[in-house]
Amino acid sequence: MKKLSSNEIRQMWIDFFQSKEHHFLAPVSLIPVEDPSLLWINSGVATLKPYFDGRKTPPSPRLTNSQKSIRTNDIENVGVTARHQTMFEMLGNFSIGDYFKKEAIEFGWELLTSEKWFAMDPEKLYITVFNEDEEAYKIWTEIIGIKPDHIFKGGRDTNFWDVGQGPCGPNTEIFYDRGIEWDPQNLGTKLLAEDMENDRYIEIWNIVFSQFNNDGHNNYTELPRKNIDTGAGLERVASLCQNTPTNFETDIFWPTIQAIEKMVGGNFQYSMENYPNPNPKQTRINTAFKVIADHIRAVTFAIADGVFPGNKDRGYIIRRLIRRSSIYGRELGINHTFLYQLVDQVIASMGQFYPYLATKKAIIVETIKNEETKFLQTLSKGFDLLEEMIKKEGKVSAENAMLLFESFGFPIEQSMEIARNNNVEVDLQGFEALLNQAKEKARSGRKELKAWDNQNELFTKMHVDSEFTGWQEMTHKDSKIVFMFIDDQQVDEITDTTGYIILDKTPFYAEKGGQAADHGTIQGLKGMGVVDDVQQGPLGQNIHRVNVEGTLSMHDLVEANVDQEKRIYTMKNHSGTHMIHAALREVLGDLVMQSGSYNDEFGLRMDFTFNRNITPEELITTQNLVLKKIKAAIKREVHFVSMQEAVDKYHALAFFTEKYDEIVRVVQFGDFSSELCGGTHVENTQVIEDFVITGIESKGSGVFRIKCLTSFKTVAQYYEQQWSEQLENARGLMNKYHQLKGSETAAEIEAMFELIENFKMDRQQIQEFKNMVWEFQQKVYFFEKQVALKNSNLKLAAYQNLEPSINENGIQQIKVYANDLNMQELKMLADQLRNQFAEVIIILMSESEQGNFIIVAVSETLQDKYPAIDLFKNMPGIKTQGGGNKHLAQGKFNK
Ligand code: ATP
Ligand code: MG
């Protein structure tokens, strides 16, 4: 086997598949695009779903990539097995309806064993196939020449890939035998045949034959178009090529481990001697090094892709990884923030293939450092909590171990050690059961979402071209109908019903890049279709949904008319989105990264990541900047150029969450804004007319959603509505004041209302106006309270001369009906009376339309003998409902 660096392995993989006519796809973001079924990109194929199910046509039917992937269900394996990372790179080759089993197996074998490529010893390679897949078994044994003792048949659990819905099929795995020293019990291929967890046979490559469609109820039918999907872990191949005990001593992680050793300053050292004969103490130390090296790499990549620590979803995973690293750092004697200092090393190790990491260094470092600092504060609370638990309960229950694990990131070993030092037990079994439950829940929670779309046969037939003319025009006079379908059936005509149409030329914009679809009409000689949606087909054709009256037929010449008003307002909003994006970056800095947007004729919203909250002043500055740029009438320019030119020459913002074709379209507004964009835009910024930010909300994990409006009409309406809402509110309050006032008046309120009524509407002063109405509201509320208090005092005065009588126990007691008092007033009266007499029981009742209320109050010296709550509950002749204590009880009663 050749000794190769990880960069050489990756390059060799790509070179090999390029030599077999595969198109190389650059890695994409760890954040899935338009795929709610996935939290993270977890495999190479996860980025290619639209190609696999036929929604999009790939740039080539043969593809290869090296895709960063995160598998959260492997986090607990990290540092424990030799072969798992949280984030790893999956090398892949894919066939979309092109080659199938034979070539896929042959390619795999050639790359691994040929002298020209990896040159692995064929004797060391072992194969598994699905037990019903005779075809694959035959290819391996008869064509490749694998001996029967090197190939094993597996069941559905190991050798069939199925997510419960959509494409699925058998797979074949390739393992590398690292030899008997990794097999202490000398079990040999039994480990493989029985799928036992082991460090001897390392799975390097999995080839999935995507052959069937699962309808969601485990009914399997052959796919119209069969695909190949493969994945091999770069880190595992590196570990074999570099002959290291685990993935962690490869050039990918070793420099980071060394950097940690340096920090620890000789107190702890990683030991390569610990394999394969482990010493438990050293294993723990090694694990700490490995976990930290793994987590810092995953965290660095995730933050670079715009994920920030938070309380849910991706943000929470990042937070957990940082916390776990911090805890493992303590195992190595590090009690301060340190993780952020390793970012440099990660960038040095990974930067060659991922040059963008270096450009994001500042934000990565800052984010990790903040999070570590915050955690160290929580952590000391966690330790206190654990000690308290131990003291109070004399053990650590499963629930508490889970709490420490989940909320504070305590590994169970840490809790156990502290418990051991205190001579108490941890309910380990219970903890493990809870952990499994939590994992199961996470798993099933995701499964419910539709993971894959069914492959659509219609889409695979839709090979017609369609040109988009809508950048220049909104009407096209002689478009030809080139494809039609209703539901999933291709048709030749659509009569008086809803169907779908593709035109050879169309001015209709299909929904994409955050811009809403155009609406309008398609007019033929024998019928007319109202277009209410346009979506992109597999070749990027615009597919119009039409409600047809009369008949539209294949090959008809039609006139396509876009609803101009809707389009024009949508354009203002789309250009407005570019404006707010550029302005936020100017005001807040380059950390602002757009993560999604939507604009239609009504308004726009944009999601973006940022690492802290945004102040109202910053929002105003941003809004003013946009307004200034609108006034400046900056001309729009459009360039069709290579990706490289777009970035170098036009400094276009390109995000790694999207794949771009070779030639890209740059939409530029002077030197203010430059973005890759296929949307329709105003000719110059003045056409946007007007702009207002109407709100911003945090969606957690450092993601914000900002909402804005453009155009004179819409913005004026917005301000008018805001203004009239305030005015309505003030008028309502004024009515209340008039009802309350009686003889009592408040000149201040009247004067202020006068000011409000006469305030001249002016958008610059909207905030001032809002403040004023708020203040007015406070004044009216205060007035209301005062009037109420005064009324109560008047009513209470009537009860001032009550005298106690002596009850059957010889105690002074006042028992009266005060039907004009409400509950609050009853309470005031009870307090007054109790203060008036040294030793008394007070029972006040009120019967009115509002209900029957009762309150019992008892003087301090009587409370133990005659607790108020007991008297309340046992009131003769009535049934009470309520609560209280020995001092006071209150509630309702029925007779
Ligand atoms: P394993 O059983 O070893 O966890 P898997 O069956 O989960 O592997 P696949 O889903 O088939 O793996 O992924 C394809 C390849 O990706 C594997 O053959 C392996 O080389 C690599 N791989 C999978 N998970 C990880 C991980 N957590 N860290 C590093 N490499 C991985
Ligand atoms: Mg796995």
Side-chain angles (χ1 to χ4, degrees), residues 34-49:
E34 289 167 11
D35 185 354
S37 71
L38 278 185
L39 196 55
W40 299 95
I41 290 299
N42 61 0
S43 59
V45 73
T47 67
L48 308 176
K49 283 183 184 180

Side-chain angles (χ1 to χ4, degrees), residues 654-763:
F655 294 102
F656 299 91
T657 40
E658 279 185 59
K659 279 172 280 193
Y660 294 105
D661 300 333
E662 315 262 283
I663 292 293
V664 296
R665 181 174 186 259
V666 178
V667 174
Q668 195 182 8
F669 290 97
D671 54 11
F672 182 56
S673 157
S674 177
E675 290 194 34
L676 299 188
C677 180
T680 59
H681 285 273
V682 298
E683 305 122 45
N684 81 66
T685 54
Q686 206 165 37
V687 180
I688 301 171
E689 296 176 338
D690 204 350
F691 184 85
V692 61
I693 297 173
T694 59
I696 185 162
E697 61 186 284
S698 165
K699 295 173 72 193
S701 304
V703 179
F704 295 87
R705 170 165 291 182
I706 193 164
K707 291 184 181 160
C708 315
L709 300 171
T710 68
S711 86
F712 290 140
K713 185 181 87 177
T714 316
V715 174
Q717 269 170 6
Y718 168 77
Y719 279 114
E720 265 163 41
Q721 194 197 338
Q722 292 279 305
W723 205 273
S724 62
E725 264 173 28
Q726 295 296 324
L727 204 54
E728 279 303 295
N729 184 14
R731 287 184 179 147
L733 289 162
M734 196 58 188
N735 275 341
K736 194 171 201 177
Y737 164 79
H738 280 303
Q739 281 165 17
L740 286 171
K741 76 176 191 215
S743 60
E744 205 66 32
T745 58
E748 221 188 343
I749 288 180
E750 288 173 21
M752 196 157 186
F753 184 66
E754 178 106 10
L755 276 182
I756 289 172
E757 281 265 278
N758 294 322
F759 211 106
K760 211 173 131 285
M761 192 181 119
D762 172 357
R763 65 156 82 175

Side-chain angles (χ1 to χ4, degrees), residues 71 74 83-85 88 90 203-206 231-233 236:
R71 291 195 177 174
D74 281 336
R83 65 181 198 282
H84 288 101
Q85 270 78 54
F88 64 102
M90 201 188 272
E203 178 191 328
I204 41 181
W205 202 343
N206 188 353
R236 292 190 193 179

